[in-house]
Amino acid sequence: MSNDRHQTRQRQKGLADDVSRRQFLQQAGAGGLAVAGGAAGFVPSPAPARPTGPQGPSAVPLILYVNGKEHRLNVEPRVTLLDALREYLGLTGTKKGCDHGQCGACTVLVNGRRIYSCLTFAVMQTGAQVTTIEGLGEGGRLHPLQEAFVRRDAFQCGYCTSGQICSGVGLLSEGRAHTDAEIREQMSGNICRCGAYPNIVAAIRDAKAAQSKSRRARP
Ligand code: FES
Ligand code: FES
């Protein structure tokens, strides 16, 4: 027998041995499982059926008033106000940071009060007046706090900025920003990863001073 033919035979024999070893192990494994299962009285339950179709309540109609405009939407009840603003209305100025009520990037004003829009469902705000960063300016002019942020260079990457400004506007209307320490305390729900805090406080201080001045100047 030539050397080549001998090697081919050896390879075929090896494959045959391999297959029969595999068959043996499969049969032994199945038998072993049956024995082990029987000994413990355990009958494996069938895999749970895969869910089909929608799992939650379907979309419901709602009316949101955002920046003075009425919007009629159909959204599932699980949709947050943040997602409704960004995904349904295209108002992407409101940012999603943590989506868990920890960073303040999603802050908007609802009926004049600052809230985390990631922590409220859109359906809970039906009929409410929502103001986002896009709606703060008037007549083509920035809001005085937006101007102060620019003047004071109160941002770096800008990701937290719309939330900071909405929160600052809410704070000014609450009338509680009397000192830098109060501003820091009252703005503590808005995190800035870039650490622009000194300039943010300065911008709010400026806007507060301008607000007080214009109040005093009123007849
Ligand atoms: S995204 Fe809402 S608090 Fe962070
Ligand atoms: S400016 Fe970057 S996170 Fe605040």
Side-chain angles (χ1 to χ4, degrees):
M1 188 184 299
S2 75
N3 206 24
D4 281 358
R5 282 176 63 194
H6 177 71
Q7 282 177 351
T8 307
R9 281 251 176 100
Q10 287 299 104
R11 264 201 304 276
Q12 285 169 344
K13 183 170 179 303
L15 279 175
D17 286 352
D18 205 29
V19 170
S20 60
R21 253 198 318 274
R22 211 177 303 142
Q23 282 168 343
F24 171 76
L25 286 171
Q26 279 169 347
Q27 283 161 8
L33 195 64
V35 169
F42 169 75
V43 180
S45 53
R50 286 190 164 237
T52 55
Q55 293 301 294
S58 50
V60 293
L62 74 110
I63 300 176
L64 281 182
Y65 296 94
V66 183
N67 301 330
K69 279 195 201 146
E70 179 184 300
H71 298 274
R72 288 172 185 268
L73 302 173
N74 273 306
V75 300
E76 289 176 33
R78 69 190 172 94
V79 172
T80 61
L81 178 60
L82 172 61
D83 285 340
L85 293 170
R86 290 180 56 86
E87 310 298 333
Y88 289 74
L89 302 181
L91 295 170
T92 53
T94 305
K95 301 298 184 219
K96 183 181 282 192
C98 62
D99 209 17
H100 281 90
Q102 292 173 354
C103 71
C106 64
T107 306
V108 297
L109 299 164
V110 172
N111 296 330
R113 292 191 60 209
R114 47 191 173 144
I115 66 164
Y116 291 160
S117 60
C118 70
L119 287 190
T120 183
F121 294 115
V123 288
M124 293 164 68
Q125 302 306 336
T126 189
Q129 295 288 342
V130 180
T131 306
T132 68
I133 190 75
E134 291 92 344
L136 286 179
E138 270 180 45
R141 288 207 57 185
L142 293 176
H143 184 281
L145 185 57
Q146 288 174 303
E147 287 176 350
F149 262 66
V150 174
R151 213 171 31 249
R152 285 289 192 168
D153 201 15
F155 47 85
Q156 290 181 37
C157 77
Y159 201 80
C160 72
T161 308
S162 52
Q164 300 279 2
I165 292 175
C166 284
S167 190
V169 169
L171 173 57
L172 290 173
S173 71
E174 291 159 19
R176 288 192 287 168
H178 299 300
T179 63
D180 284 6
E182 276 181 2
I183 293 171
R184 275 193 217 99
E185 170 64 25
Q186 299 297 329
M187 290 293 292
S188 60
N190 289 79
I191 308 297
C192 175
R193 287 167 183 79
C194 299
Y197 297 113
N199 299 21
I200 291 170
V201 171
I204 294 173
R205 192 198 309 128
D206 285 0
K208 168 80 180 163
Q211 186 186 56
S212 308
K213 198 169 155 192
S214 78
R215 279 194 186 142
R216 279 198 304 273
R218 259 185 236 147

